[in-house]
Amino acid sequence: MKNMEIKKITSESEIDACALLMSESEPFVTLKLDYEKCRLGMKRDYNEVYAAKVNDEFAGFVVLMLAGVLRGYIQTICIKPNYRGQGIGTALLKFSEDRLAKEFPNVFICVSSFNEGAQKLYYSLGFEKIGELTNHSIHGADEYILRKQICPIVDFKPNN
């Protein structure tokens, strides 16, 4: 998308804007993630948060997790409703893959079983389902663990 930039978020007001958007958006509403839970999820020391801006207007964001069991994990991606379907989610995913591929041989993301639009996007970008967490966040919905492999771990050389 023209006139779009992705930059690291550093201010509390930017975190607040992300948390508000997330807490008012699907699938996070169905998953019962309120504003405070959304905000806390972004503030971990091992997370990086990046905003997508179109013509200097906040359009969405992504949260990357750089530590833990699934290091190289796209924890959250969220796009403002009026910017959906314009390639911003795809751009944030590709940006995230490039960022994570510098340090990790795999990129992981989870998607809710009821979030068919996101599943379609992730699969179209080369992610593959590698696991399923039954009733993980709420009863009646599963989380699918997806992975995009850069290379086998034995062949990986960090480039950071």
Side-chain angles (χ1 to χ4, degrees), residues 68-131:
V69 176
L70 294 179
R71 295 175 309 143
Y73 176 61
I74 301 171
Q75 175 184 302
T76 305
I77 185 164
C78 190
I79 310 300
K80 286 178 81 171
N82 57 315
Y83 282 105
R84 293 181 187 152
Q86 298 179 38
I88 294 168
T90 299
L92 279 171
L93 283 166
K94 289 182 178 181
F95 170 86
S96 299
E97 289 175 29
D98 290 344
R99 165 64 187 95
L100 294 170
K102 293 176 182 176
E103 295 183 49
F104 308 106
N106 295 287
V107 176
F108 296 97
I109 193 166
C110 282
V111 63
S112 299
S113 56
F114 60 86
N115 195 349
E116 294 175 3
Q119 289 177 48
K120 183 179 175 184
L121 174 62
Y122 302 156
Y123 293 137
S124 76
L125 294 174
F127 284 86
E128 297 178 346
K129 182 178 174 183
I130 61 166

Side-chain angles (χ1 to χ4, degrees), residues 5-102:
E5 73 169 329
I6 298 173
K7 71 177 225 174
K8 193 170 186 178
I9 287 180
T10 56
S11 76
E12 291 296 317
S13 63
E14 290 172 311
I15 293 289
D16 291 342
C18 292
L20 182 62
L21 172 61
M22 185 176 168
S23 68
E24 294 176 345
S25 300
E26 285 297 341
F28 311 105
V29 171
T30 298
L31 295 173
K32 302 181 187 329
L33 295 174
D34 63 19
Y35 170 81
E36 206 46 50
K37 287 179 186 172
C38 294
R39 192 173 194 293
L40 287 172
M42 289 180 233
K43 302 255 325 156
R44 296 182 183 115
D45 289 339
Y46 46 83
N47 282 357
E48 292 180 354
V49 184
Y50 294 89
K53 293 189 176 187
V54 177
N55 296 320
D56 289 326
E57 182 182 337
F58 174 65
F61 70 96
V62 64
V63 180
L64 306 180
M65 186 180 288
L66 306 176
V69 176
L70 294 179
R71 295 175 309 143
Y73 176 61
I74 301 171
Q75 175 184 302
T76 305
I77 185 164
C78 190
I79 310 300
K80 286 178 81 171
N82 57 315
Y83 282 105
R84 293 181 187 152
Q86 298 179 38
I88 294 168
T90 299
L92 279 171
L93 283 166
K94 289 182 178 181
F95 170 86
S96 299
E97 289 175 29
D98 290 344
R99 165 64 187 95
L100 294 170
K102 293 176 182 176

Side-chain angles (χ1 to χ4, degrees), residues 31 110 132-143:
L31 295 173
C110 282
E132 187 170 328
L133 302 168
T134 306
N135 294 318
H136 179 68
S137 298
I138 58 171
H139 291 287
D142 303 328
E143 290 296 315

